[in-house]
Amino acid sequence: METIVQVAQLLLALSILVGIHEGGHMLTAKMFGMKVEKFFIGFPPTLFSFKKGETEYGLGAIPLGGFVKISGMIDESMDKEQMAQPPQPWEFRSKPAWQRLIVMLGGIIVNVIAGVIAFIILTYNLGETYLPADLTKQEGIIAGEIAQEAGFETGDKILKVNGEDYDRVSDIWSGETLLASNAFWTIERDGEVFDLPVPDGFINKLNDETFELNFIEPRRAIEVEGLQDGFDIPLEKGDRIVGVNGEEVLFLSDLRVKLEALVGETATFEILRNGQSFEYDLPVDERGQIGFVLTNPYQRDDYTIGEAIPRGTSKAFNAVILNAKALGRMFGGDVNPRSLSGPIGIVNMFPKTWDWNQFWYTTGFISMILAFMNLLPIPALDGGHVMFLLYEMISGNAPSDKFLEGAQKVGMVILLGLMIFVFGNDILKLFGI
């Protein structure tokens, strides 16, 4: 059932994004008087279609894309018969290069607009919830297996990332941090401050589903927020547990170990309250708990609409920038190509239960990535058409139809190869390979 919910979200997101992308091409084409023959969401075979005016609108059975057929344009339809006829005034090829350029950028532009709007609205409605960096700067960390492989030790205090101050614990492993050249963390260990280089290829660890569980956890002081229902113990809001049975216990991780060993027993807890020390004998229940609720370490920032606009816009474009950096590092060998995902992998980006906020966040993110990928200068993608149009505008000479047809075929082969690769990646990951 969870997989069905995820697949349903992916199909809805793709339908929305493909619809607005192809709609961007169609509207700009019609704006300049070009004839739009077909507008389809999904690929053939056709499930249903209808014609309104000069355009046939339809839904294809394969929901992994869509297309718009504009008269007089060399595209994936490879309509050589039409292209062999004399150009007509309503055709794509008859229009000035600047108009054709706007048409080719139309889908990319609306994807960017949609992504930015999604991030702005979510930033305004939800704000941002995060763990403050003071936890890892002052209290230190618990180093998981992945962190130990990178050179961290439990108790390390992470003071800076890439030589800069940071505000949130997640900044320690953000893409922006790990994709920087010669990335490093500045840590304090046993009173000594030094730089710990990010290991080569470490960013590939982010693909591990258990990364956050096995990387670092902030060490937390044991501060009481309140009592659990059904418990009547002499602890108050703001109390800090600092010892158990005469032994110093300052952090939650240490307390958990102590309580697991004391299940069913009564232990003496040393409490620090307003600078004074108290001791209480408290029973440890079968769950290894004594009945208090910890202070919530998370903070939340809320934004006005005026603040959310630049904040959300920045987050949307940052997604593109980081993916562009990752792609560049992939060609440099620092990022494993196995990190690329196709539709099967993208399914896991959606939550296993329907959550509209997460749905729109993921949809906005995918919209920005689709805009970036479509702008790549590969024939058969919008970016390939843009590349040839810019050449025409700069040189004054348009590439021949024969050249464009050949480039389109090459581009389609490249895209087919890429699709086979990402689908293969997804399938291998399903089997843990």
Side-chain angles (χ1 to χ4, degrees):
M1 186 63 184
E2 292 177 344
T3 301
I4 294 174
V5 171
Q6 289 179 300
V7 171
Q9 291 178 85
L10 173 64
L11 294 180
L12 177 59
L14 286 180
S15 298
I16 293 170
L17 296 178
V18 169
I20 63 175
H21 179 90
E22 301 302 340
H25 290 310
M26 180 180 70
L27 292 176
T28 49
K30 287 178 176 288
M31 182 175 67
F32 293 123
M34 301 177 194
K35 181 180 178 181
V36 179
E37 299 177 21
K38 293 183 179 183
F39 174 90
F40 269 70
I41 297 176
F43 294 124
T46 300
L47 294 178
F48 74 87
S49 68
F50 65 93
K51 193 163 186 178
K52 183 175 181 181
E54 63 186 14
T55 307
E56 179 187 3
Y57 299 87
L59 183 66
I62 304 175
L64 298 177
F67 64 93
V68 166
K69 187 175 188 327
I70 302 172
S71 294
M73 176 181 170
I74 297 176
D75 57 14
E76 59 272 10
S77 68
M78 299 300 288
D79 191 348
K80 294 182 180 181
E81 181 178 341
Q82 183 186 65
M83 299 304 295
Q85 302 299 317
Q88 300 299 318
W90 61 80
E91 290 186 337
F92 178 86
R93 55 180 167 165
S94 299
K95 301 299 181 179
W98 68 269
Q99 291 185 4
R100 287 179 277 141
L101 179 64
I102 291 174
V103 171
M104 295 318 305
L105 289 173
I108 293 170
I109 290 170
V110 293
N111 273 139
V112 169
I113 292 172
V116 168
I117 289 174
F119 275 96
I120 289 173
I121 292 175
L122 289 170
T123 300
Y124 174 69
N125 285 342
L126 303 179
E128 295 175 344
T129 302
Y130 59 94
L131 285 170
D134 285 348
L135 292 171
T136 44
K137 291 177 183 177
Q138 298 174 7
E139 304 290 357
I141 65 165
I142 301 167
E145 182 179 345
I146 293 175
Q148 292 174 31
E149 291 174 3
F152 286 106
E153 295 180 7
T154 294
D156 286 349
K157 297 178 181 179
I158 305 176
L159 306 181
K160 295 181 179 181
V161 292
N162 294 330
E164 302 290 337
D165 195 16
Y166 67 104
D167 299 319
R168 305 178 181 195
V169 170
S170 57
D171 292 337
I172 294 169
W173 63 83
S174 70
E176 186 174 1
T177 296
L178 300 182
L179 286 170
S181 299
N182 302 315
F184 65 94
W185 300 285
T186 301
I187 67 175
E188 179 184 338
R189 179 182 298 163
D190 299 327
E192 179 186 358
V193 176
F194 60 95
D195 292 336
L196 179 66
V198 175
D200 292 339
F202 184 77
I203 193 169
N204 295 308
K205 296 286 187 181
L206 293 179
N207 295 317
D208 188 332
E209 293 181 357
T210 64
F211 175 82
E212 291 193 27
L213 293 175
N214 291 324
F215 186 44
I216 65 168
E217 177 186 344
R219 287 205 301 190
R220 293 174 56 187
I222 313 157
E223 185 170 335
V224 176
E225 177 66 24
L227 302 184
Q228 296 180 23
D229 292 340
F231 284 85
D232 183 18
I233 56 177
L235 298 185
E236 301 176 2
K237 179 180 173 65
D239 285 354
R240 293 185 68 169
I241 296 176
V242 294
V244 178
N245 287 341
E247 296 183 12
E248 184 179 66
V249 177
L250 299 179
F251 301 106
L252 179 61
S253 55
D254 301 322
L255 179 63
R256 288 172 178 159
V257 174
K258 288 287 186 184
L259 293 180
E260 287 175 3
L262 292 169
V263 168
E265 301 180 17
T266 296
T268 301
F269 293 84
E270 183 181 353
I271 308 297
L272 196 62
R273 178 184 301 158
N274 298 325
Q276 292 185 304
S277 180
F278 300 86
E279 288 189 350
Y280 297 107
D281 292 334
L282 304 174
V284 181
D285 69 11
E286 66 280 359
R287 300 173 299 167
Q289 297 183 13
I290 59 175
F292 70 93
V293 177
L294 281 167
T295 300
N296 184 359
Y298 285 87
Q299 293 185 5
R300 172 172 164 162
D301 290 342
D302 292 311
Y303 300 95
T304 65
I305 188 62
E307 293 169 332
I309 289 173
R311 184 75 179 176
T313 302
S314 175
K315 287 195 288 186
F317 280 99
N318 192 49
V320 174
I321 292 169
L322 290 179
N323 274 272
K325 286 183 178 180
L327 189 62
R329 296 285 288 273
M330 187 179 297
F331 286 111
D334 296 325
V335 175
N336 192 336
R338 290 290 307 277
S339 63
L340 289 174
S341 292
I344 299 174
I346 295 173
V347 164
N348 291 322
M349 295 175 63
F350 291 93
K352 294 180 179 179
T353 57
W354 201 287
D355 182 327
W356 281 111
N357 289 323
Q358 186 62 38
F359 169 81
W360 286 115
Y361 173 84
T362 306
T363 302
F365 175 81
I366 294 174
S367 188
M368 296 301 294
I369 301 308
L370 283 177
F372 166 68
M373 297 301 292
N374 265 293
L375 196 55
L376 293 176
I378 300 174
L381 289 179
D382 295 343
H385 292 283
V386 168
M387 176 177 63
F388 294 133
L389 283 167
L390 289 175
Y391 168 80
E392 178 183 345
M393 294 172 70
I394 294 170
S395 69
N397 297 310
S400 67
D401 287 349
K402 184 176 181 181
F403 173 84
L404 292 176
E405 288 174 5
Q408 189 76 13
K409 292 176 182 177
V410 171
M412 291 173 69
V413 170
I414 293 173
L415 293 181
L416 180 60
L418 182 60
M419 288 181 64
I420 292 172
F421 178 78
V422 297
F423 267 105
N425 257 352
D426 288 346
I427 293 170
L428 290 175
K429 289 174 186 176
L430 285 176
F431 290 97
I433 301 174

